[in-house]
Amino acid sequence: MTDPKPRIGVVGIPGKWSTEVLADAIEARTGFRAVIDLQHVSLDLTTGRLDHRGLDLGELDALVVKKISAEYSPDSLDRLELLRAAEARGVRVFSGAEKMLRLINRLSCTLTLRHAGIPMPETVVTEDLDSACEAVQRFGEAVFKPLFSTKARGMCVISADQSPQALRDEVEAFRRDNPMMYLQRKVELPGRDLGMVFAGGRYLGTYARVPQSGDSWNTTIHSGGRYEAYAPSEALIDLASRAQAPFGLDFTTVDVAETPDGPIVFEVSAFGGFRGALEGAGIDAAGAYLDHVLSEL
């Protein structure tokens, strides 16, 4: 008698390409399909039922998380707490809820990478307006980043090449929506940055993101960039591997850039990109991720 196939749900955004590709792969291998939008999940703490449109998520064997919301915010942390409730019921969550909690907040990710000795852009984090202005003057140009964001949304570049008052006004405008300011020295990129893909800690491949125009300061597809194939050195693969290791994720993409002063890591993604892996590197990320999940189950 063969073991029954596992019932695996996909946490994501219904209709979005990466969510549906992962759900398609799971359905093809297991015969079961469930796409779970966390905004439609309710937790009854008395009974322990975790309901999504009549489906008790606590009865599934696993949940594979592709996306918890269209945009990151502090509310995203509350949605991850719902996944902790599923784990308490014995459901395997990929990647684990507490592991993802460490990555949704950009500051938490940065501190973990710094403590692991991973090279990153020079970074200042402060609520103090004067300190932020001084950092911009020291850097010359700085990229200001919200603590919760994806695809460079909400980021801006502030230059020291303006009057002190104009500089202060720009920083203050950013601080109105971001009381804890996170800013990095703007680094010179070689016309691309890299997405280095891992499943279960195993390196799968690399794709490059190339800006649409030569004067663009970021390479995200959201800002008009495109994906290309790229063959990294063994040293770059080793750096990305060391960067993702402290987080213990089941699937991730490490954002790396080669600069005149050596390679740096921008961040480790809580979820990783499927489209860039496929279009840029020919990697079936959904299939590779599912292989890892099934081997764990």
Side-chain angles (χ1 to χ4, degrees):
M1 186 173 178
T2 58
D3 292 331
K5 292 182 178 179
R7 301 174 78 221
I8 304 171
V10 175
V11 175
I13 302 174
K16 288 294 186 180
W17 182 84
S18 59
T19 297
E20 298 296 339
V21 163
L22 184 55
D24 288 345
I26 291 172
E27 184 177 20
R29 298 276 288 275
T30 69
F32 180 81
R33 184 189 189 93
V35 175
I36 294 111
D37 185 344
L38 286 179
Q39 71 173 324
H40 297 301
V41 171
S42 62
L43 170 63
D44 187 325
L45 288 170
T46 302
T47 65
R49 181 180 174 88
L50 194 61
D51 185 87
H52 179 263
R53 301 190 183 280
L55 174 66
D56 183 0
L57 303 186
E59 296 179 352
L60 300 180
D61 295 294
L63 290 167
V64 182
V65 183
K66 187 62 198 77
K67 204 77 170 176
I68 56 173
S69 60
E71 297 183 12
Y72 294 174
S73 73
D75 296 336
S76 303
L77 304 179
D78 298 327
R79 292 185 173 184
L80 286 176
E81 293 297 337
L82 296 178
L83 297 180
R84 287 184 64 205
E87 290 176 325
R89 293 268 307 272
V91 180
R92 287 289 302 273
V93 176
F94 298 87
S95 297
E98 290 191 2
K99 294 175 181 178
M100 290 185 288
L101 277 166
R102 299 172 62 201
L103 281 166
I104 297 297
N105 184 315
R106 190 183 307 278
L107 179 54
S108 177
C109 175
T110 297
L111 290 176
T112 300
L113 290 170
R114 283 292 194 187
H115 294 159
I118 302 300
M120 300 186 72
E122 294 178 67
T123 305
V124 169
V125 182
T126 183
E127 295 182 62
D128 183 69
L129 184 61
D130 292 333
S131 296
C133 292
E134 290 168 4
V136 175
Q137 291 169 336
R138 184 167 74 254
F139 293 161
E141 275 187 306
V143 181
F144 282 67
K145 302 181 178 183
L147 294 183
F148 298 88
S149 73
T150 61
K151 302 185 185 302
R153 292 183 179 94
M155 297 184 188
C156 64
V157 175
I158 298 179
S159 172
D161 188 20
Q162 57 183 315
S163 71
Q165 187 58 53
L167 167 60
R168 191 177 186 87
D169 290 345
E170 281 197 56
V171 173
E172 195 159 23
F174 179 84
R175 189 176 68 163
R176 278 196 288 271
D177 294 323
N178 306 276
M180 179 63 77
M181 293 174 285
Y182 177 110
L183 58 142
Q184 292 181 322
R185 181 189 292 273
K186 184 173 175 289
V187 298
E188 294 300 321
L189 300 179
R192 63 175 180 268
D193 68 352
L194 309 175
M196 306 186 72
V197 187
F198 292 81
R202 180 173 66 91
Y203 171 70
L204 300 181
T206 296
Y207 58 90
R209 287 176 293 248
V210 182
Q212 188 174 43
S213 61
D215 58 355
S216 177
W217 67 270
N218 82 75
T219 62
T220 65
I221 304 306
H222 178 71
S223 300
R226 67 181 188 277
Y227 299 119
E228 290 184 355
Y230 188 80
S233 66
E234 287 298 323
L236 276 180
I237 295 172
D238 177 69
L239 172 62
S241 181
R242 288 190 291 111
Q244 60 86 38
F247 300 100
L249 298 167
D250 293 294
F251 184 84
T252 189
T253 301
V254 182
D255 290 345
V256 179
E258 299 167 286
T259 77
D261 297 319
I264 56 172
V265 172
F266 285 118
E267 67 179 11
V268 176
S269 171
F271 310 112
F274 282 4
R275 190 181 292 275
L278 181 62
E279 295 182 3
I283 298 168
D284 175 13
Y289 193 3
L290 181 55
D291 286 343
H292 167 70
V293 169
L294 291 174
S295 71
E296 290 291 305
L297 293 176

